[in-house]
Amino acid sequence: MPQVLDRQAVQDWLRGQRVAAARLEAERASLLLSLTSRRALEAYLELCRLGLGATSKAPSLVLLAMRRALRRLEEGKKG
């Protein structure tokens, strides 16, 4: 039996998510502003180094699994 969402609870949750996102953004900005130019450059170069191998042309395993599941659903509707 499907549950009915409590509108007020959803709105409260969403408001909490917005507050958390704003807090994280403020903390991130504060951290970045506190970096020395040397430390900022080191962080930037490290991020570049870590990101080099992340651009794969092959689809992710999750995407492949989703495609298989959708194909099985379509085959089930036809048969």
Side-chain angles (χ1 to χ4, degrees):
M1 180 165 162
Q3 289 184 311
V4 177
L5 290 176
D6 177 10
R7 182 179 178 88
Q8 186 61 47
V10 171
Q11 288 176 341
D12 291 344
W13 175 84
L14 190 54
R15 191 172 14 265
Q17 294 297 307
R18 288 183 183 129
V19 168
R23 172 87 184 258
L24 287 170
E25 184 65 27
E27 289 180 2
R28 183 179 299 121
S30 176
L31 171 74
L32 291 173
L33 287 170
S34 73
L35 294 177
T36 64
S37 57
R38 179 184 172 116
R39 181 61 189 115
L41 178 60
E42 289 171 354
Y44 173 78
L45 293 174
E46 181 68 8
L47 288 170
C48 288
R49 186 185 67 77
L50 292 173
L52 289 177
T55 55
S56 172
K57 300 289 185 204
S60 73
L61 295 177
V62 173
L63 180 59
L64 292 173
M66 288 173 60
R67 287 178 180 169
R68 281 193 302 271
L70 289 171
R71 192 168 34 250
R72 284 195 303 267
L73 281 174
E74 283 300 313
E75 290 171 358
K77 287 180 184 177
K78 292 177 186 174

mmCIF file of all heavy atoms in Angstrom, residues 5 25-26 32 35 40 42 44 46 51-52 62 66-67:
data_model
loop_
_atom_site.group_PDB
_atom_site.id
_atom_site.type_symbol
_atom_site.label_atom_id
_atom_site.label_comp_id
_atom_site.label_asym_id
_atom_site.label_seq_id
_atom_site.Cartn_x
_atom_site.Cartn_y
_atom_site.Cartn_z
ATOM 1 N N LEU A 5 2.669 11.154 1.275
ATOM 2 C CA LEU A 5 3.679 12.056 1.820
ATOM 3 C C LEU A 5 3.016 13.155 2.636
ATOM 4 O O LEU A 5 1.978 13.692 2.257
ATOM 5 C CB LEU A 5 4.488 12.699 0.698
ATOM 6 C CG LEU A 5 5.437 11.783 -0.055
ATOM 7 C CD1 LEU A 5 6.097 12.547 -1.190
ATOM 8 C CD2 LEU A 5 6.483 11.229 0.872
ATOM 9 N N GLU A 25 28.096 26.115 1.146
ATOM 10 C CA GLU A 25 28.637 27.089 0.201
ATOM 11 C C GLU A 25 29.435 28.169 0.930
ATOM 12 O O GLU A 25 30.525 28.540 0.494
ATOM 13 C CB GLU A 25 27.499 27.730 -0.603
ATOM 14 C CG GLU A 25 27.952 28.686 -1.667
ATOM 15 C CD GLU A 25 28.738 28.019 -2.784
ATOM 16 O OE1 GLU A 25 28.541 26.826 -3.054
ATOM 17 O OE2 GLU A 25 29.569 28.717 -3.391
ATOM 18 N N ALA A 26 28.895 28.641 2.051
ATOM 19 C CA ALA A 26 29.601 29.673 2.829
ATOM 20 C C ALA A 26 30.911 29.126 3.394
ATOM 21 O O ALA A 26 31.949 29.809 3.361
ATOM 22 C CB ALA A 26 28.709 30.167 3.965
ATOM 23 N N LEU A 32 38.244 28.605 0.760
ATOM 24 C CA LEU A 32 38.996 29.014 -0.425
ATOM 25 C C LEU A 32 39.627 30.391 -0.251
ATOM 26 O O LEU A 32 40.753 30.623 -0.696
ATOM 27 C CB LEU A 32 38.085 28.993 -1.658
ATOM 28 C CG LEU A 32 37.644 27.601 -2.107
ATOM 29 C CD1 LEU A 32 36.618 27.711 -3.223
ATOM 30 C CD2 LEU A 32 38.823 26.748 -2.525
ATOM 31 N N LEU A 35 42.999 30.333 1.694
ATOM 32 C CA LEU A 35 44.181 29.684 1.122
ATOM 33 C C LEU A 35 45.210 30.711 0.670
ATOM 34 O O LEU A 35 44.868 31.751 0.112
ATOM 35 C CB LEU A 35 43.786 28.823 -0.083
ATOM 36 C CG LEU A 35 42.902 27.615 0.175
ATOM 37 C CD1 LEU A 35 42.563 26.940 -1.150
ATOM 38 C CD2 LEU A 35 43.548 26.637 1.126
ATOM 39 N N ALA A 40 46.681 27.322 -2.886
ATOM 40 C CA ALA A 40 45.628 27.267 -3.898
ATOM 41 C C ALA A 40 46.161 26.622 -5.177
ATOM 42 O O ALA A 40 45.487 25.788 -5.794
ATOM 43 C CB ALA A 40 45.098 28.664 -4.182
ATOM 44 N N GLU A 42 48.705 24.503 -5.397
ATOM 45 C CA GLU A 42 48.924 23.083 -5.108
ATOM 46 C C GLU A 42 47.609 22.306 -5.196
ATOM 47 O O GLU A 42 47.555 21.215 -5.774
ATOM 48 C CB GLU A 42 49.540 22.907 -3.723
ATOM 49 C CG GLU A 42 50.975 23.358 -3.624
ATOM 50 C CD GLU A 42 51.487 23.362 -2.189
ATOM 51 O OE1 GLU A 42 50.703 23.120 -1.253
ATOM 52 O OE2 GLU A 42 52.694 23.631 -2.000
ATOM 53 N N TYR A 44 44.901 23.151 -6.866
ATOM 54 C CA TYR A 44 44.475 23.147 -8.262
ATOM 55 C C TYR A 44 45.224 22.083 -9.071
ATOM 56 O O TYR A 44 44.624 21.302 -9.812
ATOM 57 C CB TYR A 44 44.688 24.531 -8.873
ATOM 58 C CG TYR A 44 44.427 24.578 -10.352
ATOM 59 C CD1 TYR A 44 43.131 24.616 -10.843
ATOM 60 C CD2 TYR A 44 45.485 24.564 -11.265
ATOM 61 C CE1 TYR A 44 42.891 24.640 -12.202
ATOM 62 C CE2 TYR A 44 45.253 24.599 -12.626
ATOM 63 C CZ TYR A 44 43.954 24.631 -13.090
ATOM 64 O OH TYR A 44 43.718 24.651 -14.438
ATOM 65 N N GLU A 46 46.719 19.422 -7.962
ATOM 66 C CA GLU A 46 46.324 18.089 -7.499
ATOM 67 C C GLU A 46 44.981 17.679 -8.091
ATOM 68 O O GLU A 46 44.796 16.546 -8.522
ATOM 69 C CB GLU A 46 46.257 18.076 -5.968
ATOM 70 C CG GLU A 46 45.891 16.741 -5.380
ATOM 71 C CD GLU A 46 46.951 15.657 -5.549
ATOM 72 O OE1 GLU A 46 48.071 15.957 -5.998
ATOM 73 O OE2 GLU A 46 46.641 14.494 -5.232
ATOM 74 N N GLY A 51 41.987 14.370 -11.969
ATOM 75 C CA GLY A 51 40.929 14.359 -12.964
ATOM 76 C C GLY A 51 41.330 13.827 -14.318
ATOM 77 O O GLY A 51 40.474 13.567 -15.152
ATOM 78 N N LEU A 52 42.623 13.631 -14.561
ATOM 79 C CA LEU A 52 43.069 13.211 -15.892
ATOM 80 C C LEU A 52 42.518 11.860 -16.304
ATOM 81 O O LEU A 52 42.115 11.682 -17.442
ATOM 82 C CB LEU A 52 44.595 13.198 -15.956
ATOM 83 C CG LEU A 52 45.268 14.570 -15.956
ATOM 84 C CD1 LEU A 52 46.780 14.413 -15.955
ATOM 85 C CD2 LEU A 52 44.813 15.391 -17.142
ATOM 86 N N VAL A 62 27.051 1.144 -14.050
ATOM 87 C CA VAL A 62 25.674 1.434 -13.639
ATOM 88 C C VAL A 62 24.809 1.704 -14.868
ATOM 89 O O VAL A 62 23.688 1.193 -14.978
ATOM 90 C CB VAL A 62 25.643 2.638 -12.674
ATOM 91 C CG1 VAL A 62 24.217 3.058 -12.372
ATOM 92 C CG2 VAL A 62 26.386 2.320 -11.395
ATOM 93 N N MET A 66 21.560 -0.429 -16.105
ATOM 94 C CA MET A 66 20.260 0.207 -16.335
ATOM 95 C C MET A 66 19.740 -0.113 -17.733
ATOM 96 O O MET A 66 18.550 -0.395 -17.921
ATOM 97 C CB MET A 66 20.380 1.718 -16.147
ATOM 98 C CG MET A 66 20.561 2.138 -14.702
ATOM 99 S SD MET A 66 20.911 3.895 -14.502
ATOM 100 C CE MET A 66 19.481 4.657 -15.223
ATOM 101 N N ARG A 67 20.614 -0.092 -18.711
ATOM 102 C CA ARG A 67 20.208 -0.417 -20.083
ATOM 103 C C ARG A 67 19.710 -1.855 -20.188
ATOM 104 O O ARG A 67 18.704 -2.125 -20.850
ATOM 105 C CB ARG A 67 21.369 -0.191 -21.043
ATOM 106 C CG ARG A 67 21.679 1.261 -21.294
ATOM 107 C CD ARG A 67 22.862 1.423 -22.214
ATOM 108 N NE ARG A 67 23.155 2.820 -22.462
ATOM 109 C CZ ARG A 67 24.252 3.253 -23.055
ATOM 110 N NH1 ARG A 67 25.161 2.393 -23.495
ATOM 111 N NH2 ARG A 67 24.452 4.536 -23.232
#
